Amino acid sequence: MDRTKFEEIAGEVFDNLPKIFSDKIDNIHIVIEDYPTDEILSQTKSNKNQLLGLYQGIPLSHRGSWYGANPTVPDKITLFQKNIESISRNNNEIIKNIRDVLLHELGHYFGMSESEIRKAMENY
């Protein structure tokens, strides 16, 4: 899938989040990369071909009154296109996996643990 289409799908997933979530999202940037960098791999102790997405920032649940008092760099969600494509058998699976990975990383943005995210994803 070309990068433009992949970005379009990620944008549609983000734009169609339930209002209960989208109203609470602020100061976040979504980026598409082919693979994680060596720096990310050393920080996450992940394999280059296995990491599907990454949230970097201050989770919503950890932000105090100090957050935003000074200019604040946006939180970042990175989706790793080649890795998502490698676990997908066709375009429909790519779309589903983009959705699942983006929702998973947004769970981290909201401060959810891995188990809380998995449970929420079962109900979504």
Side-chain angles (χ1 to χ4, degrees):
M1 178 177 292
D2 69 33
R3 177 62 55 93
T4 302
K5 182 65 176 170
F6 196 96
E7 290 172 347
E8 180 183 305
I9 293 166
E12 287 173 6
V13 170
F14 189 81
D15 291 344
N16 290 306
L17 289 171
K19 194 164 178 52
I20 190 169
F21 298 116
S22 63
D23 284 351
K24 295 177 182 168
I25 296 173
D26 183 40
N27 203 29
I28 194 161
H29 185 66
I30 298 172
V31 176
I32 311 298
E33 298 289 344
D34 284 339
Y35 295 103
T37 62
D38 290 337
E39 180 181 349
I40 288 172
L41 293 174
S42 68
Q43 291 171 357
T44 61
K45 296 181 176 54
S46 296
N47 178 297
K48 176 183 178 180
N49 297 309
Q50 292 177 329
L51 190 63
L52 304 177
L54 179 67
Y55 167 73
Q56 297 169 291
I58 300 170
L60 202 57
S61 61
H62 291 81
R63 295 178 185 180
S65 58
W66 52 267
Y67 185 83
N70 294 312
T72 307
V73 175
D75 289 10
K76 180 178 173 183
I77 291 177
T78 306
L79 302 178
F80 299 110
Q81 181 174 352
K82 298 297 183 189
N83 292 344
I84 290 173
E85 289 174 339
S86 74
I87 65 162
S88 307
R89 291 178 290 200
N90 55 49
N91 281 349
N92 287 338
E93 279 194 13
I94 292 173
I95 293 166
K96 178 193 177 303
N97 289 327
I98 291 170
R99 177 188 161 279
D100 289 351
V101 173
L102 182 55
L103 292 175
H104 182 99
E105 300 310 327
L106 284 168
H108 289 303
Y109 168 84
F110 284 108
M112 299 169 74
S113 68
E114 289 293 328
S115 61
E116 290 171 324
I117 292 170
R118 281 195 284 290
K119 186 174 181 176
M121 294 288 288
E122 290 173 4
N123 298 319
Y124 185 73

